[in-house]
Amino acid sequence: MDALIQLIFFFTLLIAGYVFGKIAEKRHYRSIMERERQWMQIPTTSGRHILVTDREVKQVQLATGSVVISVDYFKRIVAGLRNIFGGNVQSYETLVDRARREAVLRMKESCPQADQIINLRLETSSISKGKKNQVGAVEVLAYGTAVYLSPAATDPAATATAS
């Protein structure tokens, strides 16, 4: 009887993890896509040089964004099964994808007036091992250099012909 109760408890946690994990993941992806459209005007590159512009650099500043996302019970079980049979752990791929995109968005939100962000770097780590070295949560830190440019100079020839 005890084994049956434990089995029911296990499947209840598995189903709840799947349902609530899917709902939270879909909601988070919707939020990410909406905010990515909002912040797409700030070009971001991993390159070390400022994107081509004729404007002067006014200011540079370190921009950072970090996020910690935990693994739900269902993904942990699926990943455990993948460890037995091998192959891609797709349940963790979406977790890391969401974490990276969220960290970049938070970095952009930390410098809303920047004209571009260069030298983007991402650091990923697991911060909680849990039982048997299982991944409990993933932390992603995004950092880069926010570049603020001087306002575009007005063309004196265009101003003279207009008046």
Side-chain angles (χ1 to χ4, degrees), residues 2 62 96 102 105 133 146:
D2 244 8
L62 177 67
V96 174
E102 180 67 35
L105 281 170
N133 279 342

Side-chain angles (χ1 to χ4, degrees), residues 1-11:
M1 187 67 178
D2 244 8
L4 182 63
I5 291 173
Q6 287 181 351
L7 195 62
I8 290 171
F9 184 71
F10 171 76
F11 281 113

Side-chain angles (χ1 to χ4, degrees), residues 54-71:
D54 56 348
R55 295 162 54 191
E56 194 172 307
V57 175
K58 188 170 68 176
Q59 178 187 357
V60 293
Q61 169 187 347
L62 177 67
T64 62
S66 68
V67 65
V68 176
I69 297 181
S70 70
V71 179

Side-chain angles (χ1 to χ4, degrees), residues 14-51:
L14 193 65
I15 291 169
Y18 177 77
V19 170
F20 292 113
K22 278 287 187 193
I23 290 170
E25 186 173 277
K26 281 184 180 180
R27 186 179 305 151
H28 191 208
Y29 266 123
R30 224 175 307 136
S31 166
I32 286 172
M33 286 188 269
E34 186 176 299
R35 291 170 37 230
E36 283 177 340
R37 275 191 297 273
Q38 180 184 351
W39 292 104
M40 71 185 329
Q41 85 277 1
I42 300 177
T44 305
T45 178
S46 60
R48 301 166 89 192
H49 302 287
I50 295 171
L51 300 174

